[in-house]
Amino acid sequence: MIFQHTWEKVLSGEKTETTRWWDGFPYKLGRSYAVQPGRGRKSVGRIVIDGIRYCLVSGQLPYYKEEGFESQEAFWAALRKIHPGLSLGSHICVYHFHLQEEGAPWF
């Protein structure tokens, strides 16, 4: 899973959720995924998906802290930078995860 702008927050544990534009559920509950700082870049760790929610973008983004941001405004600005076409009412998936311990099996 690519975390181009936030991979360091994933590794520090500051980020425990990621919002992705809705395109089905490409990531599966209970599965382990590589943390990549960019497309084609070497993995820097692994995460395990603990929860998945489907929702619409609204004016309130109460889970901004789980995304590793200090405010809803900062989170919204980052979302718009990562997903330029994202707007109120857009369909999104929010994946909750934990950092997988080094050496733990992944499958």
Side-chain angles (χ1 to χ4, degrees), residues 12-96:
S12 74
E14 186 180 347
K15 180 177 177 71
T16 59
E17 288 191 342
T18 186
T19 300
R20 305 293 167 121
W21 207 313
W22 168 257
D23 59 355
F25 291 106
Y27 303 106
K28 307 295 183 207
L29 191 63
R31 293 283 312 266
S32 171
Y33 296 93
V35 175
Q36 294 176 269
R39 188 168 306 283
R41 306 257 323 262
K42 186 177 180 336
S43 170
V44 295
R46 296 195 72 80
I47 59 168
V48 176
I49 304 296
D50 297 320
I52 304 170
R53 2 185 243 286
Y54 165 80
C55 49
L56 299 175
V57 175
S58 69
Q60 298 295 313
L61 300 167
Y63 52 92
Y64 64 90
K65 288 184 181 177
E66 289 85 351
E67 287 275 356
F69 293 92
E70 295 293 323
S71 69
Q72 289 188 63
E73 294 77 18
F75 177 40
W76 181 245
L79 271 179
R80 296 293 305 270
K81 180 179 180 183
I82 296 166
H83 305 291
L86 196 69
S87 62
L88 294 178
S90 293
H91 299 260
I92 56 172
C93 284
V94 180
Y95 295 94
H96 183 80

